[in-house]
Amino acid sequence: MEAFNVAVLGGGPGGYTAAIRVAQLGAAVCLVEMDKVGGTCLNRGCIPTKALLTCAEVLAHIKHAEEYGVEVTQIKPSFARMVERKDKIVANLISGVGFLLKSYGVTVLKGRGVLTAKDKVWVEGCNGGGVELQADKIIIATGSRPALIPAFNIDGKKIITSNEALNLKELPESIIIVGGGVIGCEFACIFSELGVKVTILELLPNILPTEDKVIGQRLRLILKKRGVEILNQSQITRIEVQGDKVVASLEGKEPVSADMALISIGRSMNTEDIGLREMGIAQGRRGEILVDDKMETNVHGIYAIGDVVGKIMLAHVAAKQGLIAAANAMGGNASMNYSLVPSCIFTSPEIGSVGLTADKAKEQGFDVTLGNFSFMALGKAQAMGQTEGTVRLVVDVKTDKILGAQIMGPHATDLIAEVTLAIKMGATAHQISETIHAHPTLAEAIFEASEDVHDVAIHAAKKK
Ligand code: FAD
């Protein structure tokens, strides 16, 4: 039986990050992956969606080419070639992760890992049958999959999840998107830009229910302007194929039909049949693995990270948890802190937020002031032809410290990094104002918002 210092189950962004860090710290590490390294993020999540979204954005630019003084006589989008491009990007990145793992001497075993003892893993399917390995420490990073509801009759053909949506051979004429969360809204942007008639069915009163209310309301208006129909407070009782259509039955409302339905109602954690119960590893109500801030389970020496712990299901959170678990598995004393996780939504326009919203800050007892700036007033945004959206800084009146930011607009998902660092360093609005921001750049919107906190933004009209 081969022996390692650390075994990692699952090669997504959580697992492969942990494996590389453990190897950097000098340990012998084995990564067990039953499919392809990169996990949901590279194969079925972050990267493929953004690759398709970029194609949709290119098409949007071309459709507006005349505004930029470019006459385009024929536009011929090919969804098949967009998918081909996406597949190439994904394959490149997967081989990049494989290369990194190899360069650090990480042993990668292909198969399904199951805990058989506190220090043993059975790798089902490895080398034709199975292989048992011994490891002093184990990190579980088996991730998640789309949540299914029996009444939604998902068949992978006409009633699909995000997994199949990323591999369609051709586009439907119309699609129902069930769930107006982040994934649903990103797909709504992709499909509507590519000419598909989109209807979003959302149970709650607004889309993007986890974001600041204003953001959801604004995106709703923008999507509606693009022809996306949004039916809030829609309680779906059943979805089924009827002839060549998919029909969603709604409580107290007329049924909605389309060529296809994409179900994006959340994620289920991959915690079944991997030996958790047998090892006495504690799980929560949703099946999530319970961990402390060291990412350790109740069983000493067994850690869990990423989607499987059900905290914030994002790739950068999984990777950070991986670094924490790796450090602790190697004798360190690192803790996970969730107070400053940037959230990025790749709709058009993009949304980036971090820290506290104004409402949350008030709830926590802060006396709050806001700094706002509209991209409409920014030279770079005007030059780019992307003026939709604003920067909002949430600032503590007493200390002038930045508490949070919500940015909606061009490259909001990149811009949010500046505010994240500012909050991490305990910076004040005044310190952002004191920092020279290059011109013309989108980052000037953050500078102007910081000046607006003290009512001295040069490119905002005098307040009455
Ligand atoms: P995963 O990435 O799910 O990886 C788990 C791995 O474990 C998989 O490779 C699986 O094959 C393997 N595995 C499972 N069971 C076993 C076993 N028993 N033995 C061996 N291997 C096993 N997040 C962002 O931050 N930004 C985004 O823009 C973003 N976009 C997304 C878009 C979509 C459509 C989806 C679905 C998700 C998106 N996410 C995004 C979320 C992100 O993909 C996940 O949070 C992230 O991948 C979680 O990483 P993980 O390592 O915990 O698990």
Side-chain angles (χ1 to χ4, degrees):
M1 187 192 320
E2 223 178 326
F4 298 89
N5 299 112
V6 179
V8 181
L9 259 63
Y16 81 72
T17 303
I20 289 175
R21 177 52 53 90
V22 166
Q24 286 172 336
L25 293 171
V29 53
C30 172
L31 178 69
V32 180
E33 169 55 58
M34 60 189 241
D35 190 0
K36 289 183 187 150
V37 292
T40 304
C41 171
L42 282 196
N43 294 286
R44 302 170 289 279
C46 323
I47 300 298
T49 45
K50 273 76 224 178
L52 289 181
L53 203 60
T54 306
C55 298
E57 280 167 6
V58 168
L59 183 62
H61 276 309
I62 296 172
K63 281 186 204 159
H64 293 104
E66 279 199 13
E67 291 166 25
Y68 298 81
V70 179
E71 196 180 312
V72 177
T73 48
Q74 201 188 18
I75 309 176
K76 266 178 84 177
S78 158
F79 188 65
R81 284 178 50 195
M82 293 178 191
V83 172
E84 216 175 276
R85 173 181 177 274
K86 179 263 297 176
D87 289 342
K88 257 194 215 151
I89 294 166
V90 168
N92 251 338
L93 288 168
I94 291 173
S95 80
V97 172
F99 167 78
L100 290 175
L101 290 165
K102 199 170 170 194
S103 80
Y104 284 104
V106 176
T107 301
V108 179
L109 293 184
K110 175 132 196 206
R112 187 171 189 284
V114 180
L115 302 180
T116 50
K118 280 182 193 169
D119 65 344
K120 288 198 182 64
V121 175
W122 172 253
V123 187
E124 182 66 41
C126 186
N127 294 342
V131 164
E132 191 168 47
L133 61 91
Q134 189 274 328
D136 305 333
K137 304 279 168 67
I138 295 172
I139 301 175
I140 304 168
T142 48
S144 67
R145 59 184 189 278
L148 310 178
I149 290 184
F152 290 179
N153 296 304
I154 294 170
D155 62 6
K157 294 186 181 91
K158 285 183 88 66
I159 306 177
I160 61 175
T161 69
S162 57
N163 289 352
E164 295 81 34
L166 291 165
N167 289 306
L168 291 175
K169 295 276 172 281
E170 54 188 52
L171 288 169
E173 273 179 30
S174 57
I175 192 161
I176 296 167
I177 296 184
V178 178
V182 175
I183 294 176
C185 286
E186 288 189 4
F187 273 107
C189 286
I190 296 173
F191 284 132
S192 61
E193 201 57 70
L194 297 176
V196 179
K197 169 85 190 86
V198 176
T199 306
I200 298 178
L201 301 180
E202 166 59 51
L203 179 66
L204 296 170
N206 211 353
I207 54 170
L208 298 181
T210 54
E211 288 297 310
D212 191 66
K213 212 164 60 195
V214 181
I215 297 265
Q217 285 163 350
R218 267 199 216 136
L219 184 69
R220 182 192 174 89
L221 291 178
I222 291 166
L223 289 178
K224 277 193 142 182
K225 245 190 340 198
R226 285 196 208 132
V228 174
E229 199 171 343
I230 302 173
L231 300 178
N232 284 103
Q233 291 174 305
S234 295
Q235 171 93 48
I236 302 169
T237 52
R238 193 173 171 76
I239 300 179
E240 60 194 344
V241 177
Q242 287 183 12
D244 59 353
K245 292 281 178 198
V246 172
V247 178
S249 308
L250 308 177
E251 207 163 275
K253 291 185 186 171
E254 287 297 303
V256 177
S257 79
D259 295 330
M260 212 174 244
L262 163 60
I263 314 298
S264 54
I265 49 166
R267 309 275 301 168
S268 297
M269 285 149 253
N270 294 328
T271 48
E272 301 91 353
D273 306 324
I274 54 170
L276 297 181
R277 201 170 329 131
E278 293 78 353
M279 293 307 113
I281 295 174
Q283 289 175 259
R285 202 174 38 85
R286 296 170 296 143
E288 76 277 18
I289 301 177
L290 300 178
V291 288
D292 60 16
D293 64 347
K294 309 285 171 206
M295 305 313 300
E296 195 168 21
T297 67
N298 60 317
V299 177
H300 183 60
I302 301 185
Y303 299 81
I305 58 169
D307 283 4
V308 91
V309 301
K311 295 263 191 213
I312 303 177
M313 290 177 146
L314 290 172
H316 43 285
V317 174
K320 180 68 184 172
Q321 292 169 330
L323 296 177
I324 302 282
N328 293 333
M330 295 299 292
N333 187 26
S335 301
M336 185 68 201
N337 179 348
Y338 297 96
S339 64
L340 201 58
V341 175
S343 145
C344 293
I345 307 178
F346 296 81
T347 43
S348 44
E350 292 183 350
I351 297 161
S353 54
V354 69
L356 300 177
T357 60
D359 287 348
K360 285 261 161 63
K362 283 178 203 158
E363 270 171 36
Q364 292 189 15
F366 288 100
D367 187 7
V368 163
T369 182
L370 302 177
N372 290 300
F373 195 75
S374 163
F375 284 102
M376 185 65 86
L378 199 70
K380 180 66 185 283
Q382 289 274 352
M384 291 166 69
Q386 292 181 44
T387 52
E388 217 158 25
T390 53
V391 171
R392 165 179 281 192
L393 297 180
V394 180
V395 175
D396 178 19
V397 172
K398 200 159 120 201
T399 61
D400 196 43
K401 282 193 178 171
I402 314 283
L403 300 172
Q406 297 82 44
I407 306 179
M408 184 179 213
H411 295 278
T413 59
D414 296 309
L415 291 173
I416 201 67
E418 175 177 344
V419 193
T420 308
L421 184 65
I423 301 176
K424 177 83 184 157
M425 308 296 287
T428 61
H430 182 68
Q431 284 169 321
I432 294 190
S433 299
E434 283 291 290
T435 308
I436 297 178
H437 288 66
H439 176 75
T441 62
L442 295 171
E444 285 175 291
I446 295 173
F447 164 74
E448 294 276 3
S450 73
E451 291 276 67
D452 185 57
V453 170
H454 306 114
D455 290 339
V456 291
I458 296 293
H459 295 94
K462 188 173 175 187
K463 289 180 186 165
K464 288 184 187 127

